[in-house]
């Protein structure tokens, strides 16, 4: 039974990943939907009793990948090589792309190219059965959490770019409440499982503190 199959979503700029019903991933996703529906995000990110941590990380990684896809997909016509020639998060932070395989030395690219490289790279991780096992009962690799941490660190950069460069556009599209909820869920999850180093979070530090401190 496959944990991660392909489905389609009209608004994403690439196919949405999903777990077929009946799989472990689908059961965990139902739990996520139920807890998210309650509005308690702190509860929604906790590892359900008796569940495997890696399974939980895997299902949520796919979900957050889809969320960022959806959010960024609404901005593709506004985030262009002309408007965003580099991948930045405010004046102090610039991100360069390297995947360690095809591009070993970090290169400066436009924000849209960075996100394209990033989503292709994440998709290749999700599709690699030696990293994200597709058959139930297949063990996760020993370095699984490190792979997940790299994925979340890089997904955060997309949020940082959206908030710093495109927030006014998000407001004009009336999507700020959705963006804020998605980001809050993302930050509470990464905080719960220690997935992103504090220094990486610096571009949105004040916003993050306003999310974490009330809890």
């Amino acid at each position: 039974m496959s944990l991660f199959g392909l489905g389609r979503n009209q608004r994403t700029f690439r196919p949405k990943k999903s777990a077929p019903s009946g799989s472990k991933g689908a059961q965990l996703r139902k739990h996520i939907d139920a807890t998210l529906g309650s509005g308690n995000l702190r509860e929604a990110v906790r590892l359900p009793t008796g569940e495997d941590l890696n399974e939980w990380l895997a299902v949520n990684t796919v979900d957050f990948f889809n969320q960022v896809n959806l959010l960024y997909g609404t901005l593709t016509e506004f985030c262009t090589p002309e408007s965003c020639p580099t991948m930045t998060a405010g004046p102090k932070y610039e991100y360069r792309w390297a995947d360690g395989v095809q591009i070993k030395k970090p290169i400066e690219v436009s924000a849209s190219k960075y996100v394209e490289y990033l989503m292709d790279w994440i998709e290749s991780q999700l599709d690699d059965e030696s990293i994200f096992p597709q058959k139930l009962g297949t063990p996760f690799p020993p370095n699984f959490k490190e792979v997940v941490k790299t994925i979340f660190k890089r997904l955060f950069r997309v949020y940082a770019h959206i908030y710093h460069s495109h927030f006014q556009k998000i407001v004009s599209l009336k999507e700020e409440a959705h963006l804020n909820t998605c980001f809050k869920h993302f930050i509470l999850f990464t905080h719960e499982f220690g997935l992103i180093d504090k220094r990486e979070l610096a571009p949105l530090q004040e916003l993050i503190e306003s999310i974490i401190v009330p809890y």
Side-chain angles (χ1 to χ4, degrees):
M1 187 66 77
S2 168
L3 263 182
F4 311 104
L6 279 178
R8 283 269 171 196
N9 185 304
Q10 299 290 296
R11 290 184 65 205
T12 52
F13 69 111
R14 62 185 57 232
K16 183 180 177 184
K17 297 229 166 260
S18 60
S21 59
S23 74
K24 186 62 174 287
Q27 290 165 21
L28 288 173
R29 186 158 283 114
K30 275 184 190 152
H31 175 87
I32 294 169
D33 290 343
T35 48
L36 279 178
S38 73
N40 186 341
L41 289 174
R42 176 65 71 175
E43 196 56 45
V45 302
R46 282 203 186 105
L47 177 67
T49 308
E51 292 296 349
D52 178 72
L53 174 60
N54 286 339
E55 296 268 13
W56 186 238
L57 290 175
V59 170
N60 278 279
T61 301
V62 175
D63 272 3
F64 286 117
F65 167 73
N66 284 331
Q67 274 182 13
V68 174
N69 254 331
L70 193 62
L71 285 163
Y72 185 77
T74 64
L75 294 169
T76 47
E77 63 187 288
F78 312 109
C79 185
T80 64
E82 293 71 40
S83 68
C84 304
T86 54
M87 178 64 170
T88 58
K92 288 192 198 164
Y93 301 95
E94 181 190 318
Y95 302 115
R96 298 185 174 202
W97 178 257
D99 58 14
V101 182
Q102 281 148 330
I103 302 171
K104 293 193 164 85
K105 189 179 177 190
I107 57 171
E108 184 180 292
V109 291
S110 67
S112 57
K113 193 68 186 168
Y114 185 98
V115 176
E116 184 186 327
Y117 277 137
L118 172 58
M119 296 308 177
D120 285 346
W121 176 79
I122 294 176
E123 205 150 27
S124 72
Q125 306 301 298
L126 298 178
D127 290 340
D128 185 340
E129 294 195 34
S130 70
I131 303 171
F132 283 80
Q134 302 228 353
K135 291 187 175 62
L136 288 173
T138 307
F140 286 85
N143 68 331
F144 181 68
K145 191 169 182 183
E146 291 311 306
V147 174
V148 168
K149 284 173 82 167
T150 304
I151 291 173
F152 275 85
K153 175 179 77 176
R154 291 175 171 175
L155 283 175
F156 168 79
R157 294 171 178 179
V158 182
Y159 274 117
H161 178 70
I162 290 173
Y163 272 107
H164 278 282
S165 299
H166 301 293
F167 191 68
Q168 288 316 115
K169 180 51 69 177
I170 289 281
V171 170
S172 71
L173 293 169
K174 297 187 167 46
E175 287 187 6
E176 72 269 26
H178 179 61
L179 171 67
N180 290 338
T181 301
C182 289
F183 184 64
K184 184 176 181 180
H185 185 199
F186 178 87
I187 286 302
L188 289 174
F189 188 83
T190 58
H191 184 68
E192 178 81 7
F193 298 103
L195 299 177
I196 304 179
D197 292 340
K198 196 170 180 185
R199 68 177 183 276
E200 284 283 342
L201 300 171
L204 295 176
Q205 188 177 351
E206 284 183 29
L207 180 59
I208 290 164
E209 283 174 3
S210 75
I211 291 168
I212 290 170
V213 172
Y215 289 87

